[in-house]
Amino acid sequence: MDSETTLKQEIAWASHLSLQACLLPTPKGTSCANYARCVNQILQGLNNMQLWLRIPLLKTDDDSTDLDSNNLVDSWELWNSFRMLCEHHSQLSIALDVLSSLPSANSLGRWFGESVRAAIINTDSFLTNARGYPCLSKRHQKLITGFFNHAIQIVISGKQVHSLPKGSTDLASNHNDSSSDGVQRHPLRPYLDYVGYLYQKMDPLPEQERFELGYRDFLQSPLQPLMDNLEAQTYETFEKDAVKYIQYQRAVCKALQDRVPDEKASMITTVLMVVGAGRGPLVRASLQAAEETGRKLKVFAVEKNPNAVVTLHSLVKLEGWESIVTIVSCDMRHWDAPEKADILVSELLGSFGDNELSPECLDGAQRFLKDDGISIPSSYTSFIQPVTASKLYNDVKLHKDVVHFETAYVVKLHNVARLAPTQPVFTFTHPNQPTMKSNQRYKKLQFEIPSDTGSAMVHGFAGYFDATLYKDVHLGIEPSTATPNMFSWFAIFFPLRTPVFVHAGSSLEVHFWRCCGPSKVWYEWGVTSPCPSPIHNSNGRSYWVGL
């Protein structure tokens, strides 16, 4: 009781001083219920201060597991048990104690999906370089760079264990704070200088990453381009994505060359339809492809948003395309085309491939594609992988309702741990074979979490897509094959109402459904192993895409 009173008094004092955080001592062993209960009580009445729980970065290999239960094997388990007892409270974070030996890369990866705020590096963990100065091992350097990338503060702790070469103190401090002006240098300064040097040495963020900084881990509702008309601002952002349109242009070039042999280039006019033309970027890419290959084109630009059609008309006038481009202000699913197309071009893909209803739209447009016609894209596949994402989980939890846990979000994933390689979910091919008339889909997936990762918490699934535009021209955001420098799509995130704990080396089984009703399409998802979750978004009650 004395300890509880003392802890509460000290935290009240820290709060009185408006500190950003208070460091809590490491729990002793995983049965820390009394300590967690006391901290949980404090969290209930805490203002904006964070509590940082000190956790040693420790995980012994499985083969050396000690049967003595007091012997801590994986410190993540310690954190997890404490965090569960405190109900994933958003003001409870981690300060990692970095030791001289590090666990495996997979095991370290888990922490980047957790709320780590600081890393405390003891001077014992430093090595000595040839000149007698402190430095860190290659693996420690890589870890620290990871911490920098995730805005984790670095704290140096311990005694000065390096005796620096004589007369070198001035050198290390660039003369600006040496003892010559009577101010004593801090004994840990050389360690801090080294960490500063690691920070200076990092590659600068590429321009695109800098542009996306504000979107990191920010949940957005996916677009509903069928139900809603997009705003000019939205079109503008997507039109800036040069890489995407270069890929489309390459695909149209190849399709035109396959469709019309060189010797007939001046005689045959190819009918190309851009369905969902927006403000015209695909019309431009197609006409550039025709120019590049010396083929003749007749273009129909079909667009249902009357506001975008206004801009489309002025573009055609400005570029002098009136004789080649016919603008059709109509929903492609209801348009009665005057002739059939050789090539059908569309950009209706969402972050999960089919989540903006590309399959339904293209099925509707397929009526006016010749039997041997080409669709660009010709197919697309969605992919998912399990992730630890405590920040995203807490952001969804803030809403205190089921609806938000049953919604998929578009998000620039940053503070996440990807726990297993991606696996394909649904594939759609165009033109659609008559045998595959239904766009409903179901897939059961089994993910193996590598055994050296240790146990992990799954907060949900990250989703991506990869599309084949034509033959070997592809476009996508699936991490292992992603098109570089393309910003039109962030990943999609499917949350779990209750995070799923997966033991080291065990597997995770998840089921995904794509369901179609008369007026909407939606996804349902649920985990069946290691423990069953509810099936999320039954009947599309929380989240759907309107037809």
Side-chain angles (χ1 to χ4, degrees):
M1 282 173 75
D2 287 348
S3 303
E4 277 191 32
T5 310
T6 309
L7 182 64
K8 287 179 178 169
Q9 278 175 348
E10 293 198 352
I11 288 178
W13 175 245
S15 184
H16 168 72
L17 297 176
S18 306
L19 297 186
Q20 63 148 332
C22 203
L23 207 53
L24 299 179
T26 309
K28 298 179 174 71
T30 39
S31 57
C32 49
N34 270 319
Y35 183 12
R37 171 182 170 273
C38 185
V39 170
N40 199 33
Q41 284 185 340
I42 293 168
L43 284 165
Q44 304 311 309
L46 203 57
N47 53 13
N48 331 352
M49 192 169 71
Q50 293 268 337
L51 297 184
W52 293 355
L53 190 65
R54 272 185 95 143
I55 302 283
L57 190 51
L58 193 73
K59 180 182 180 296
T60 48
D61 295 327
D62 293 338
D63 43 27
S64 62
T65 304
D66 199 317
L67 293 174
D68 177 11
S69 61
N70 294 333
N71 199 350
L72 187 64
V73 178
D74 181 358
S75 62
W76 181 88
E77 305 258 2
L78 185 66
W79 155 248
N80 188 51
S81 134
F82 201 98
R83 162 261 297 276
M84 298 281 284
L85 289 164
C86 296
E87 289 190 286
H88 294 78
H89 199 286
S90 61
Q91 282 165 275
L92 178 67
S93 306
I94 305 159
L96 280 178
D97 270 302
V98 178
L99 310 175
S100 52
S101 72
L102 293 177
S104 74
N106 277 336
S107 158
L108 291 173
R110 291 177 298 181
W111 294 102
F112 290 105
E114 301 286 6
S115 52
V116 180
R117 295 285 177 266
I120 303 169
I121 305 169
N122 199 285
T123 48
D124 297 344
S125 302
F126 283 80
L127 308 170
T128 311
N129 70 9
R131 292 173 49 229
Y133 286 98
C135 64
L136 287 167
S137 75
K138 283 273 188 284
R139 290 200 59 208
H140 279 82
Q141 291 179 39
K142 193 172 175 215
L143 180 64
I144 303 271
T145 306
F147 289 155
F148 288 147
N149 277 325
H150 288 77
I152 293 167
Q153 298 182 39
I154 307 289
V155 181
I156 307 283
S157 144
K159 295 189 170 55
Q160 180 179 0
V161 290
H162 289 68
S163 45
L164 293 186
K166 271 279 161 273
S168 63
T169 42
D170 287 4
L171 257 174
S173 63
N174 303 326
H175 301 280
N176 58 4
D177 58 353
S178 62
S179 42
S180 59
D181 57 4
V183 180
Q184 190 54 48
R185 291 191 74 235
H186 194 289
L188 298 186
R189 188 73 212 195
Y191 301 93
L192 196 61
D193 285 344
Y194 177 75
V195 171
Y197 156 74
L198 289 183
Y199 185 78
Q200 297 296 327
K201 212 173 66 158
M202 281 170 66
D203 292 331
L205 272 185
E207 190 189 352
Q208 188 195 332
E209 282 287 327
R210 282 208 312 277
F211 161 74
E212 292 171 354
L213 271 175
Y215 291 100
R216 282 180 174 177
D217 296 317
F218 175 71
L219 299 168
Q220 306 178 67
S221 295
L223 294 171
Q224 293 260 16
L226 273 185
M227 275 189 350
D228 312 336
N229 285 325
L230 300 182
E231 296 166 16
Q233 188 60 59
T234 312
Y235 284 115
E236 197 143 326
T237 306
F238 291 136
E239 287 164 13
K240 286 197 180 98
D241 196 341
V243 176
K244 175 174 68 173
Y245 295 113
I246 288 168
Q247 291 300 84
Y248 267 100
Q249 191 173 326
R250 284 182 56 212
V252 175
C253 280
K254 291 196 173 198
L256 285 172
Q257 285 165 327
D258 286 354
R259 198 86 192 153
V260 181
D262 284 346
E263 60 275 11
K264 296 193 176 161
S266 58
M267 292 132 61
I268 295 179
T269 300
T270 305
V271 177
L272 182 143
M273 291 179 182
V274 177
V275 288
R279 306 194 315 178
L282 280 184
V283 175
R284 186 185 294 279
S286 301
L287 290 172
Q288 279 168 344
E291 198 171 322
E292 193 183 319
T293 54
R295 301 299 191 267
K296 290 169 74 174
L297 265 196
K298 177 179 185 183
V299 177
F300 288 91
V302 187
E303 175 51 54
K304 74 159 187 58
N305 179 351
N307 306 305
V309 170
V310 175
T311 315
L312 203 50
H313 273 293
S314 55
L315 174 77
V316 168
K317 211 178 192 124
L318 185 74
E319 296 285 356
W321 293 339
E322 290 97 338
S323 58
I324 321 166
V325 179
T326 306
I327 296 172
V328 181
S329 181
C330 179
D331 187 317
M332 66 182 89
R333 293 168 297 175
H334 313 307
W335 180 45
D336 205 5
E339 59 183 305
K340 290 203 166 189
D342 296 287
I343 303 174
L344 198 58
V345 187
S346 63
E347 51 170 337
L348 308 164
L349 297 172
S351 299
F352 202 49
D354 59 78
N355 62 305
E356 290 182 14
L357 308 197
S358 176
E360 284 67 25
C361 294
L362 292 181
D363 286 354
Q366 199 173 302
R367 297 167 294 133
F368 42 79
L369 181 65
K370 291 179 183 169
D371 291 345
D372 63 344
I374 296 167
S375 168
I376 297 177
S378 59
S379 72
Y380 35 90
T381 301
S382 49
F383 293 83
I384 60 162
Q385 69 186 147
V387 292
T388 300
S390 64
K391 181 189 185 303
L392 299 184
Y393 172 76
N394 272 325
D395 287 353
V396 176
K397 200 175 79 167
L398 277 176
H399 294 281
K400 297 185 165 59
D401 64 17
V402 168
V403 171
H404 285 82
F405 273 114
E406 297 191 333
T407 299
Y409 299 92
V410 170
V411 59
K412 165 78 180 157
L413 298 173
H414 186 63
N415 285 305
V416 299
R418 297 174 165 87
L419 299 170
T422 63
Q423 291 187 32
V425 193
F426 308 132
T427 297
F428 290 89
T429 306
H430 300 287
N432 192 347
Q433 312 326 323
T435 49
M436 283 297 290
K437 262 301 170 234
S438 166
N439 287 325
Q440 306 228 70
R441 296 281 190 278
Y442 162 64
K443 186 79 176 236
K444 174 174 98 172
L445 298 162
Q446 194 149 6
F447 291 96
E448 305 295 333
I449 308 229
S451 56
D452 67 336
T453 301
S455 305
M457 188 60 88
V458 178
H459 292 107
F461 296 88
Y464 318 94
F465 78 92
D466 187 76
T468 299
L469 292 182
Y470 183 69
K471 294 200 168 163
D472 62 346
V473 184
H474 95 103
L475 191 72
I477 58 168
E478 191 280 315
S480 65
T481 59
T483 312
N485 305 318
M486 190 173 66
F487 58 81
S488 284
W489 295 275
F490 292 153
I492 199 163
F493 175 65
F494 292 93
L496 287 169
R497 276 156 59 179
T498 306
V500 172
F501 174 75
V502 184
H503 273 289
S506 63
S507 67
L508 172 75
E509 191 174 85
V510 60
H511 302 250
F512 262 76
W513 292 264
R514 185 185 198 268
C515 313
C516 307
S519 61
K520 63 181 189 179
V521 173
W522 69 94
Y523 301 105
E524 297 184 14
W525 62 96
V527 169
T528 45
S529 166
C531 54
S533 75
I535 286 181
H536 291 58
N537 197 32
S538 181
N539 272 329
R541 64 184 170 196
S542 303
Y543 156 68
W544 71 93
V545 190
L547 276 166

